[in-house]
Amino acid sequence: MTRNGNRSAILESLKDGIDGLQRAIETARPETPEEQRVQLRQYYELGYLANQCWKLQRDTDIDEMSQRMALLEDKTDMERY
């Protein structure tokens, strides 16, 4: 699998995890202190997954920009700086 293919698969997994956690948080009605701790942990995990998703998407965008820049340089005979 290519680097971008791996990223796409990972992004999809992260997004699925985010969706699952959001559903769990929205439907939860914690009554005990333990259930409340679990829900707080879910909020933490949701934030972590969202951050990882954002980082991976940013890296993907940077790679795509680099590829476009290389193509532009090739087409215009520009030297890389």
Side-chain angles (χ1 to χ4, degrees):
M1 191 176 267
T2 66
R3 184 176 183 175
N4 286 338
N6 285 338
R7 283 188 182 158
S8 295
I10 293 168
L11 275 171
E12 193 62 37
S13 293
L14 286 170
K15 290 176 182 177
D16 289 345
I18 288 168
D19 290 343
L21 276 172
Q22 284 177 326
R23 282 191 301 277
I25 290 168
E26 289 170 359
T27 59
R29 301 290 177 250
E31 296 177 8
T32 67
E34 181 61 30
E35 290 171 343
Q36 290 172 351
R37 281 191 287 279
V38 168
Q39 189 172 36
L40 286 174
R41 182 70 183 165
Q42 288 174 329
Y43 278 113
Y44 170 80
E45 292 298 326
L46 181 61
Y48 177 79
L49 288 177
N51 188 40
Q52 294 305 309
C53 189
W54 177 80
K55 285 180 182 178
L56 192 58
Q57 185 62 54
R58 183 191 64 200
D59 289 347
T60 301
D61 293 344
I62 289 170
D63 283 349
E64 288 174 6
M65 287 188 310
S66 293
Q67 290 171 356
R68 289 179 180 172
M69 186 66 154
L71 182 61
L72 179 61
E73 289 171 349
D74 288 344
K75 292 207 180 265
T76 60
D77 293 328
M78 293 177 61
E79 290 184 20
R80 278 197 139 155
Y81 295 99

